[in-house]
Amino acid sequence: YKAREESIVTNRQTFTKEFKDKAVGLVVERGRSPTDVAKALGVPRYRMNYNKYDLSQPIWPQLDTWRAKFKDLIALSREIGIQPLYQNHSGKDYLGAPVWDVFSLMQDYPAKDWAFAFDIYHATVEGSKSWPLELNLVRERIGAAYFKNFKWGEKQAEACPLGEGVVGKDYVTALKKLGYSGVVSLHVEYLKGSVKDPGYLEQAVAATKRDFA
């Protein structure tokens, strides 16, 4: 395991360059879309971009507008064979913050065509004790289960290591009861700095090992 970690760190730049070269070649030579390139490179799913409500306008008509906008993207993804995932992100104006809104849009499609990147951090920030309800709502549409944690600061949530915050092991228990066996995505966004900083990748690997322990 140690050797594999060192290999990941050592070969990261080479791998990244090769990956980018292949992607550029596919785009230039074949004129493919980014989702097409991702599928060709073996990426089975992707997270969609965030969207925000205009709080000066009624909410329901905006959902109808997004329904129409997402239609072509989901159709293209289906044609290519790559699954779009929508992350529920907390915030006063984020589409998906309450979960039910995006879930209602997803009803036009089977789960294989559009699913959630279910984020327990943001579900807990928004729903507090009601996150099991949101999880149960999307139980057939979980394309990836995000694992990360937070503590309440003076005015907002602050990211922290997985075992130290508000999110507990009951999230794992709930996923097991649902029979979830899909993708798990561990986030260490509590780390300071940038991936471009010297030694950052080593810190991320160490943090990942601690959180998985």
Side-chain angles (χ1 to χ4, degrees), residues 11-84:
N11 295 324
R12 174 178 177 273
Q13 291 182 339
T14 301
F15 172 79
T16 302
K17 183 178 185 302
E18 291 178 353
F19 188 90
K20 288 182 177 178
D21 288 345
K22 289 180 180 178
V24 170
L26 286 167
V27 173
V28 174
E29 295 176 11
R30 307 181 189 178
R32 294 185 171 184
S33 68
T35 49
D36 200 357
V37 171
K39 177 63 177 179
L41 292 171
V43 179
R45 58 188 64 81
Y46 66 94
R47 193 200 70 181
M48 297 169 61
N49 201 1
Y50 300 119
N51 296 272
K52 292 187 175 183
Y53 289 107
D54 178 353
L55 298 184
S56 69
Q57 300 296 320
I59 297 301
W60 205 256
Q62 294 182 62
L63 285 175
D64 290 334
T65 299
W66 276 313
R67 176 177 282 107
K69 288 183 177 179
F70 292 154
K71 183 177 181 180
D72 289 343
L73 175 62
I74 295 170
L76 174 62
S77 300
R78 182 195 305 120
E79 179 182 340
I80 293 171
I82 187 170
Q83 184 188 43

Side-chain angles (χ1 to χ4, degrees), residues 45-204:
R45 58 188 64 81
Y46 66 94
R47 193 200 70 181
M48 297 169 61
N49 201 1
Y50 300 119
N51 296 272
K52 292 187 175 183
Y53 289 107
D54 178 353
L55 298 184
S56 69
Q57 300 296 320
I59 297 301
W60 205 256
Q62 294 182 62
L63 285 175
D64 290 334
T65 299
W66 276 313
R67 176 177 282 107
K69 288 183 177 179
F70 292 154
K71 183 177 181 180
D72 289 343
L73 175 62
I74 295 170
L76 174 62
S77 300
R78 182 195 305 120
E79 179 182 340
I80 293 171
I82 187 170
Q83 184 188 43
L85 303 180
Y86 201 94
Q87 178 192 4
N88 54 300
H89 195 292
S90 60
K92 65 179 182 180
D93 55 357
Y94 275 86
L95 174 69
V99 180
W100 64 262
D101 52 355
V102 171
F103 180 78
S104 69
L105 299 179
M106 289 182 174
Q107 299 312 293
D108 295 337
Y109 308 93
K112 64 181 180 61
D113 287 350
W114 194 13
F116 270 94
F118 189 82
D119 192 316
I120 186 59
Y121 174 133
H122 291 292
T124 305
V125 168
E126 287 295 333
S128 186
K129 294 182 179 181
S130 74
W131 67 261
L133 189 156
E134 282 85 60
L135 180 65
N136 194 54
L137 177 68
V138 305
R139 60 188 298 165
E140 303 298 335
R141 288 184 178 272
I142 304 175
Y146 282 8
F147 277 77
K148 49 185 176 177
N149 214 335
F150 72 95
K151 296 179 180 179
W152 285 113
E154 184 176 348
K155 294 185 177 180
Q156 62 184 11
E158 300 174 353
C160 69
L162 191 61
E164 299 180 8
V166 175
V167 177
K169 294 182 179 180
D170 46 351
Y171 177 48
V172 176
T173 301
L175 287 172
K176 287 182 176 180
K177 287 183 177 179
L178 292 178
Y180 182 73
S181 59
V183 174
V184 168
S185 178
L186 174 66
H187 295 220
V188 291
E189 55 197 54
Y190 55 84
L191 294 178
K192 307 300 181 182
S194 167
V195 69
K196 296 180 180 179
D197 296 340
Y200 183 90
L201 187 60
E202 289 85 349
Q203 294 179 43

